[in-house]
Amino acid sequence: MPIDNIIRLSVSEAARMFGVSQRTIRRAITDQEITYVVVQGRYKINFESLLKWSQRSTTVRNKRDH
């Protein structure tokens, strides 16, 4: 996938999109369950890895589907 087609979200955007807390997203970052880059001191989360993470986690999957 070309680099300019990668979708990246902030922690707050990811939390809002998947119906979880920002702390849950940050915990996934700490546990290396999702990939990210740091841009100007802020996490930018790779959407594809976020989606895969949400499919593996039962709680997140249920919240996402609700």
Side-chain angles (χ1 to χ4, degrees):
M1 174 178 277
I3 191 118
D4 57 348
N5 289 338
I6 295 174
I7 299 171
R8 292 194 174 103
L9 303 172
S10 68
V11 171
S12 61
E13 290 170 331
R16 194 172 30 247
M17 181 175 283
F18 288 90
V20 297
S21 70
Q22 290 184 30
R23 184 174 178 179
T24 299
I25 300 296
R26 291 182 186 281
R27 191 177 306 117
I29 290 171
T30 301
D31 294 342
Q32 298 179 348
E33 295 177 338
I34 54 179
T35 58
Y36 64 92
V37 294
V38 178
V39 178
Q40 295 181 348
R42 298 185 182 266
Y43 292 118
K44 290 295 186 177
I45 301 164
N46 180 309
F47 181 74
E48 186 177 348
S49 75
L50 187 65
L51 190 58
K52 288 178 183 177
W53 167 77
S54 74
Q55 292 169 344
R56 286 191 309 264
S57 172
T58 304
T59 303
V60 175
R61 186 174 56 238
N62 290 340
K63 287 185 177 186
R64 182 196 67 215
D65 294 346
H66 186 264

